Amino acid sequence: MPAAASEPRGGAAGDRLIAGRYRPAARLGRGGMGTVWRATDELLGRQVAVKELHPDGGAPATAALREARAVAQFKHPHVIGVHDVVEQDGRSYIVMELVEGGSLADRLRGSGPVDAPEAARIGIALLGALSAAHRQGVLHRDLKPANVLLEEGTGRVVLTDFGIAQLPGSTTISEDGAFVGSPEYTSPERMQGAAAGPESDLWSLGALLCAALSGESPFHRDSLGGVLHAVVTDEIRPPLATAPLLPVVRGLLERDPARRLTADEAHEMLRAYVSSGATPVAPRQYTPTERVAVVEPARRSRTRAALIAAAAVVVLGGAGAGAAALLSGGDEGGGQARAAAGGTATVTGHASAAAEPGPPGPTVTVTRAGEPSPLGTAPAGYRHVRDPDGFGLTVPAGYVRTTDDRRVFYVSPDGAFRLGIRLQQSVSGGPLGVMRHSHANGPDTNPGYRGGKVVSTTHQGHDAALWEFSWNGFSAAEGPRHTYDECWDENGTMYDVWVSAPVSRLDEAKRHFDTALDSFTPSA
């Protein structure tokens, strides 16, 4: 770590001993929980790092010490070594190994994002560190680039700052009411104030991989309220730079902890990438249909709204009514929009346009080996899937499945093509009313919305509407895009299928769109 000239509490650097043996020399860093000093262990004649805990650092020193002692019970090459825990003059200190080298955050600031092989190497090391901690019942709870050290000369990856680690069952809010962790890297379940397990650290790893590959967390916003909204309910759009590791990133950034990739699964996928250089696929044993309880859509919507409101109260506290309103109201890109002209009826807003990329979810193979397909032989370059959300269709081979609790996406390995599907109860106004509502809101949901048109049509004998438009994409790197979207009513259910793609590849996009529509079948 780069040294900064600063005096430790109680005198100038070098003027005092901590616990009779540790002599601080220079400050290495400072955070909400404490200040880290380079120091000399005069008993053993070695250099160490000493973390001086702040009594008012956001969590009681006693809790931090309890968990630091827990971390000291195990060793792992990618976990910072804890040598000692001492107290002096009313202050508590954690004595750790000194890692010569800056943090991943330092590297990103100084040299920019890392390439995919380096990100995979870092991810593998951190998975080993987290697994070692989790086996001891310890959660890190603050995994972020600033807490990952890169040792000079060896390149060793070291996970540090277990000072706020706690055992499973703890929440985001500490005993004194402070937020624990870094919001941009905090899992949705912890943001909502719920108890969290090892899966929450794996979410943080997914956000960290995004930051390593692109330069910043995908949940970076200008305010805590904005970060909370991004983590809990906004659409998660992994940066294009994550394409080589996209299935891993999406699998880790799954909002439902039960569907999140496990450490072993993520490790296997990253190892496969390192050995082959090819975009990894989900492990064969990964079976999300066995992990996920089907939730009735209306109940799911109410539960989601309640969680968002609860998250606003827990995390924002006294931040003001405006932030709470941001989370509990407004269109989430697929929420409900009230009819104009003072009407009391509601029309369920169209989901695809406002959030096409979809939040990340696990990579899955839905059609099991040897399972006969009811759709016959798939065209060259395609495969049939029977999706656990209750439908079947034909998608391009190699596309990755993701979900956001309301929509299902099949995304190309490079992230350029997004095929989306949504099922919901039929609503007043029918497909044409929904599409016209979405078209009217197009400029608000899709940057640079233009050329939008809605026409009445049919789908296999059912009333349907087709919506087509161009837009600028969600980022300059993504570039101009075009979307084809069709929805229809069938036996009390409204089905919606869309494809979004770069404007330079419209022929390919239309082929994928037509193939998906022609093959779409509701589950029996």
Side-chain angles (χ1 to χ4, degrees):
M1 291 181 177
S6 180
E7 294 185 359
R9 182 178 182 269
D15 285 354
R16 65 172 179 141
L17 283 178
I18 298 172
R21 64 183 286 187
Y22 305 111
R23 189 176 300 279
R27 191 176 74 183
L28 298 177
R30 179 184 174 91
M33 288 296 299
T35 300
V36 180
W37 305 92
R38 175 190 293 271
T40 300
D41 180 348
E42 297 197 340
L43 180 62
L44 298 180
R46 63 179 176 181
Q47 295 293 295
V48 295
V50 176
K51 183 169 187 177
E52 179 181 3
L53 296 175
H54 301 160
D56 57 350
T62 54
L65 287 171
R66 182 177 66 247
E67 306 309 329
R69 291 190 178 103
V71 175
Q73 300 306 307
F74 67 94
K75 293 184 178 180
H76 190 276
H78 299 297
V79 174
I80 193 75
V82 176
H83 300 322
D84 202 356
V85 177
V86 298
E87 295 187 13
Q88 179 173 302
D89 300 329
R91 292 272 174 137
S92 301
Y93 301 84
I94 302 173
V95 183
M96 303 169 288
E97 70 168 308
L98 178 65
V99 178
E100 297 285 1
S103 68
L104 176 59
D106 295 331
R107 178 167 176 176
L108 296 177
R109 283 192 296 267
S111 305
V114 304
D115 59 20
E118 176 67 358
R121 185 185 75 86
I122 293 171
I124 290 170
L126 293 176
L127 283 166
L130 291 174
S131 294
H134 295 164
R135 284 193 294 270
Q136 298 296 320
V138 176
L139 307 181
H140 189 279
R141 300 203 309 161
D142 198 20
L143 180 60
K144 59 184 178 182
N147 287 338
V148 176
L149 304 181
L150 304 175
E151 190 172 54
E152 291 180 359
T154 68
R156 182 169 70 110
V157 178
V158 183
L159 179 58
T160 187
D161 205 353
F162 277 83
I164 67 167
Q166 288 194 9
L167 301 179
S170 60
T171 70
T172 302
I173 308 304
S174 69
E175 290 90 338
D176 63 0
F179 181 88
V180 177
S182 302
E184 292 180 26
Y185 296 90
T186 299
S187 67
E189 60 269 24
R190 287 192 55 232
M191 276 292 209
Q192 293 161 357
E199 299 84 3
S200 66
D201 280 343
L202 297 176
W203 167 283
S204 301
L205 177 60
L208 182 143
L209 288 175
C210 286
L213 289 162
S214 69
E216 69 177 15
S217 163
F219 308 107
H220 177 73
R221 301 294 188 272
D222 293 333
S223 66
L224 177 58
V227 173
L228 173 59
H229 190 276
V231 171
V232 174
T233 189
D234 208 356
E235 306 308 327
I236 305 170
R237 306 174 191 121
L240 294 178
T242 65
L245 302 179
L246 184 62
V248 181
V249 170
R250 289 187 179 278
L252 293 172
L253 293 182
E254 164 59 51
R255 281 194 170 101
D256 182 352
R259 300 180 69 171
R260 207 166 290 158
L261 284 176
T262 67
D264 287 344
E265 290 164 344
H267 185 273
E268 179 180 338
M269 295 170 72
L270 290 177
R271 282 288 187 191
Y273 173 78
V274 169
S275 63
S276 68
T279 301
V281 297
R284 182 176 298 276
Q285 67 270 21
Y286 186 66
T287 54
T289 55
E290 297 176 3
R291 295 183 180 185
V292 182
V294 177
V295 182
E296 190 272 328
R299 178 187 174 190
R300 174 182 295 170
S301 177
R302 290 194 298 271
T303 301
R304 183 181 183 86
L307 287 175
I308 294 169
V313 173
V314 170
V315 178
L316 296 178
L326 170 68
L327 297 173
S328 60
D331 188 356
E332 298 177 15
Q336 292 185 338
R338 296 199 174 274
T344 58
T346 62
V347 177
T348 301
H350 184 59
S352 63
E356 288 180 1
T363 305
V364 298
T365 301
V366 179
T367 303
R368 295 174 177 80
E371 179 182 1
S373 169
L375 301 177
T377 303
Y382 291 84
R383 66 185 177 99
H384 299 313
V385 298
R386 177 60 63 184
D387 194 276
D389 272 25
F391 58 87
L393 80 169
T394 300
V395 303
Y399 274 35
V400 175
R401 182 185 188 274
T402 78
T403 68
D404 73 345
D405 292 338
R406 295 171 298 164
R407 295 175 287 274
V408 173
F409 294 87
Y410 287 88
V411 184
S412 62
D414 63 358
F417 286 80
R418 303 188 283 265
L419 191 163
I421 307 97
R422 185 186 183 190
L423 281 63
Q424 62 180 337
Q425 293 180 343
S426 296
V427 299
S428 176
L432 192 61
V434 167
M435 289 301 200
R436 285 173 173 170
H437 174 80
S438 298
H439 168 57
N441 287 279
D444 297 327
T445 58
N446 292 80
Y449 180 85
R450 58 189 177 275
K453 59 182 179 181
V454 176
V455 297
S456 178
T457 183
T458 60
H459 176 83
Q460 299 178 2
H462 302 285
D463 290 339
L466 175 65
W467 180 31
E468 185 177 346
F469 61 93
S470 296
W471 54 298
N472 290 344
F474 287 115
S475 68
E478 191 172 52
R481 301 181 66 80
H482 194 83
T483 297
Y484 299 97
D485 190 338
E486 185 166 307
C487 73
W488 68 95
D489 278 336
E490 184 172 348
N491 298 325
T493 298
M494 179 174 287
Y495 296 91
D496 191 356
V497 176
W498 66 95
V499 169
S500 170
V503 294
S504 60
R505 303 172 69 178
L506 290 188
D507 289 345
E508 189 177 352
K510 190 61 163 61
R511 183 168 67 252
H512 296 339
F513 182 60
D514 291 341
T515 300
L517 284 176
D518 292 344
S519 63
F520 191 94
T521 57
S523 294

